[in-house]
Amino acid sequence: MAAVSTRRLQKELADIKNHGTPTGITLLKADDFETWYLTLEVLGESLYKGEVFALKFRFEPGYPISSPAVQFVVDDKFRAPLHPHVYSNGHICASILGTEWSPVLSVISVCITLQSMLASCKDKKRPPDNDRYVAHAPENPKKTQFVYHDDEV
Amino acid sequence: MSESDLPPQPPRLKSADLPDIEGTDHDFENSVGPDHNTGVAPPGWVITEPTDISTLPPSSLFDLTQPVMDESAFFEEDTQRPLISLLEPMTVLRTEYENGNQVFVKQIDWLIDRGWVGIRRTRGDGDCFYRSLAYAYISSLLPQSSRSQPQQQQDDTSIINVTKAISYLESTSALLESVGFQKLVFEDFLDLFVGVLKGLISPSAGEGGRVRAKLVEEFNVAEVSNSIVMYLRLLTSAEIRSNPDNYEPFLFHPETGEQMNTRDFCEGFVEACGKEADHVQITALTKALKVDIKVAYLDGRIRSPSSSSPSSHLADVDFVEFVNDEGIEAGDKGKGKAVDGEGIILLYRPGHYDILERRLED
């Protein structure tokens, strides 16, 4: 029997293929059960109108009991959104990706949460400690223990 | 700022109808010999990249790259203790307290005197209540010992009990769906849970002793064990979510003590991995599983002397009962009642749950 992570991701993938993705979210690449890419945009009126972002999900064998490592892609094509909880290296400070992760969340529900995090943003700016964090950040955002300042933003 | 410099405190059990342990804080923690709460001492923090940031003051360090020391990730690395251990004599636990708090020693003696001679430990990873309950629940479906019953009769009893449990567990998936959990998020956990149960009664399972040994083995396969834990978490959450009127008055943030709504509580403190169970979760889960459990509170507190107990050097241990068919207040009823029957009995020490047994070893 395949590992739980593979079985679960197969189901998530089948669900996406059968039912499609929510508006503003598209599956970019899911060739294996280790790394997936999705695009994210905020439709309707928001500070991010017209901007398209990419999210990278990395799954450990313990997924979905262990959280996926999720970050915005920063490369020649994509930038991290300017947001008080998103560092310029793409790392995201969101409790659901850390201490409040639960296996009831899925790739798509994480995307929806991040989409609404952007949609409700009132002030496009970097986290105050962006430069310090980015200078020393580990490659994998799961290695950082973020202090979740404000769940409302 | 200074608050964030402190190492994380072990979770505390806070509940109106349980013995208050807040008052004994310092004494208590300093006097306990081994760190029984978590298995290992909480680290302050460990700098993962010392050369880069060692010149910064602690306050900046904290804002920067920190070690992974949130509960779940921290405990995942606590591999010193098996997820579920083999049965050990209580005297082993006793020796760990001999140089520490003597009330614990006396309470352990009290338990031993009453036949609670064995302890099966679980890893201190925030899942200990769920894992202890899962193991004890499954184990309670099997015959207690070889005693007088012939083997065939024992096998038949197991098959009936286990089959009932499987069909009940499978029926709970409807409850999970009714509160909005997608099938895909829980069906693998349920499959593994049911798979373990089926294994107990398969023709190749062997006789009683071997079945139990196999159960311990399976509970030490992280994927299996954690899947069962996760299913129980979702079942707990589904019970709370489907009866908000029963539970909402008792939903408090474990750190701030603020009243919480059902959804936030369930998402943050039931469904999330590694979050300790408190009285509300225990009540909900035992109700959803339809099991009665007793929790022995080994809390290091001296009770007022009782005339019924001539041996005044013994400290009593409270057994709190969670009875599934009497609703949410049931926990109050059995307080202090003498315990004689078998069943699911957990041993609580502040911040941690293990399993209490009347047998010395597996």
Side-chain angles (χ1 to χ4, degrees), chain B residues 168-232:
Chain B
Y168 181 66
L169 280 171
E170 285 178 337
S171 77
T172 58
S173 67
L175 177 66
L176 268 62
E177 282 192 276
S178 76
V179 300
F181 293 134
Q182 277 182 284
K183 217 176 180 117
L184 76 85
V185 310
F186 67 76
E187 64 188 355
D188 293 331
F189 302 143
L190 181 58
D191 282 354
L192 279 167
F193 198 160
V194 167
V196 167
L197 289 169
K198 284 184 173 157
L200 299 176
I201 53 170
S202 78
S204 61
E207 46 76 45
R210 248 193 76 209
V211 174
R212 280 175 194 282
K214 192 167 159 250
L215 186 58
V216 174
E217 255 172 57
E218 293 199 274
F219 262 84
N220 281 296
V221 177
E223 183 172 89
V224 175
S225 206
N226 293 338
S227 293
I228 294 174
V229 164
M230 208 51 230
Y231 193 77
L232 294 186

Side-chain angles (χ1 to χ4, degrees), chain A residues 84-101:
Chain A
H85 290 176
V86 181
Y87 293 93
S88 54
N89 65 353
H91 288 195
I92 306 159
C93 176
S95 57
I96 62 150
L97 299 176
T99 57
E100 283 177 28
W101 166 257

Side-chain angles (χ1 to χ4, degrees), chain B residues 85-106:
Chain B
S85 309
L86 291 172
L87 204 49
E88 287 175 41
M90 277 295 264
T91 47
V92 172
L93 186 68
R94 190 186 192 280
T95 57
E96 290 173 23
Y97 285 97
E98 269 166 7
N99 298 320
N101 185 328
Q102 293 305 301
V103 182
F104 278 98
V105 176
K106 286 172 184 164

